[in-house]
Amino acid sequence: MLVLCLTMTDKLPKLNSDIADISAWVDIDKVPWVIAGPCSAESAEQVMATAVEVAKSPNVKVFRAGAWKPRTRPDTFEGVGVEALEWLKQAKERTGLLTTTEVATPRHVELCLEKGVDILWIGARTTVNPFAVQEIAHAVKGVDIPVMVKNPVNPELGLWLGAIERLFGAGISKLAAIHRGFSSYAETDYRNRPNWVIPIELKRRLPRLPLICDPSHIAGERSLVERVSQMALDFGITGLMIESHIDPQQALSDSKQQITPLELSEMLDRLKARGVEITDPEVRERISQFRAEISRADSNIIRDLADRMKAVEGIGRIKRDHNIPVLQLNRWEHLLDDHLAQAAEAGLDAQFIKALFETIHAQAVRRQL
Ligand code: PEP
Ligand code: MN
């Protein structure tokens, strides 16, 4: 089960009040607004052709292309480097789109600033490393440039928040967070699991921070990109970063997850943006009835949990008095089987119930120590 490493009461008032509105750095007149372009900049022709095609969609506001690629294995294409920045500049001149690329070192930042890249992003493999993030923060100090921070590869809110704080501390107020999913050893449909609890908690702490979703790196597979994009919109996310390549089959990195500019524009037409305001009074009434029911159920859960913990403490006292160990594995396994059977009957997801009761059980053990 997810462990949020900061307490629910953490407040970040300064960061919250001073984060710039997204409209200060992107002209957003459409939902979703989109950052599109290839995983990697491969050649002047590939960059220009892709930029010209993606720019045809009115939702696309920013052109992306990786100049330096953090590849898992050596002897794979690691990007063309600084040369790509010139191609981005030409793409911008031709299409009018803002440009963005990933920076992982102070030298990358220096080169991007020199070559006029409009927006920087920090990749998932860099967000995990506070030393690297601090060096990048130092390199952008005093520069008015937007920086987008991808979530770290592992599902940890603290590192993501920490990277944002380091950049803010260096004077960057045009900030955004990108949810690109988290790596997991477990079997999943996705390349990187979209653990929505974490970006939602980030948003709760920093309501003003623009949140973008990168469905391409979550999906890892082009047929899933649309489903994940719609999921992001359903969560109220209005910005998407989508990898698009003029010829995905020939892409030198992330070939399986890229879509053509035409597929991108057709997909954008199909996606349903959700309005923030509920205007229909009848819909509002129905929603508020369900909300009341949910609140009632939550109160019952809390009351039942409190009763459960009281019973646990009662057992704990008896175990202590009679020298019986706290952890009774047989009983716990029995309980879990029983809960899973009940959950199946009630149509509840087994993994969810297992994770929930593991958390409850861990707390029960702690209460008896
Ligand atoms: C990318 O955007 O191409 C990339 C490498 O992303 P991430 O840092 O999310 O893996
Ligand atoms: Mn990629």
Side-chain angles (χ1 to χ4, degrees), residues 46-61:
Q46 171 250 10
V47 168
M48 186 59 86
T50 312
V52 166
E53 289 305 309
V54 296
K56 289 181 181 165
S57 164
N59 300 69
V60 175
K61 305 294 176 189

Side-chain angles (χ1 to χ4, degrees), residues 68-70 102-106 108-109 121-137 148-154 159-160 163 166-167 180:
W68 301 277
K69 299 305 299 177
E102 173 176 350
V103 290
T105 68
H108 295 165
V109 172
W121 94 73
I122 295 183
R125 290 164 194 77
T126 304
T127 310
V128 286
N129 182 347
F131 286 135
V133 174
Q134 192 57 56
E135 284 190 358
I136 293 170
M148 307 184 290
V149 183
K150 289 202 173 193
N151 64 253
V153 279
N154 56 318
L159 283 168
W160 202 1
R166 284 175 202 281
L167 290 158
R180 49 76 79 195

Side-chain angles (χ1 to χ4, degrees), residues 344-356:
E345 230 167 81
L348 290 166
D349 181 78
Q351 256 188 358
F352 160 65
I353 292 298
K354 185 163 180 280
L356 179 65

Side-chain angles (χ1 to χ4, degrees), residues 158-227:
L159 283 168
W160 202 1
L161 200 50
I164 290 159
E165 286 178 296
R166 284 175 202 281
L167 290 158
F168 184 73
I172 301 294
S173 60
K174 292 173 182 155
L175 286 161
I178 304 179
H179 178 34
R180 49 76 79 195
F182 301 92
S183 72
S184 156
Y185 203 60
E187 282 271 324
T188 129
D189 284 353
Y190 304 106
R191 177 179 174 195
N192 293 291
R193 264 192 181 172
N195 192 337
W196 296 100
V197 176
I198 296 179
I200 289 168
E201 177 60 13
L202 180 68
K203 194 73 189 156
R204 196 189 65 78
R205 307 270 182 96
L206 295 174
R208 286 176 54 87
L209 181 72
L211 185 59
I212 296 165
C213 178
D214 171 344
S216 305
H217 287 88
I218 290 176
E221 151 69 48
R222 63 185 127 265
S223 64
L224 289 177
V225 172
E226 179 161 351
R227 192 208 292 179

Side-chain angles (χ1 to χ4, degrees), residues 71-85:
R71 303 307 300 281
T72 305
R73 307 284 301 276
D75 300 327
T76 44
F77 177 68
E78 293 187 308
V80 299
V82 63
E83 218 185 337
L85 306 185

Side-chain angles (χ1 to χ4, degrees), residues 38-40 64 69 150 191 217 243 253-254 257-258:
C39 178
S40 302
R64 66 151 279 160
K69 299 305 299 177
K150 289 202 173 193
R191 177 179 174 195
H217 287 88
E243 284 189 343
S253 60
D254 288 350
Q257 72 195 28
Q258 302 202 58

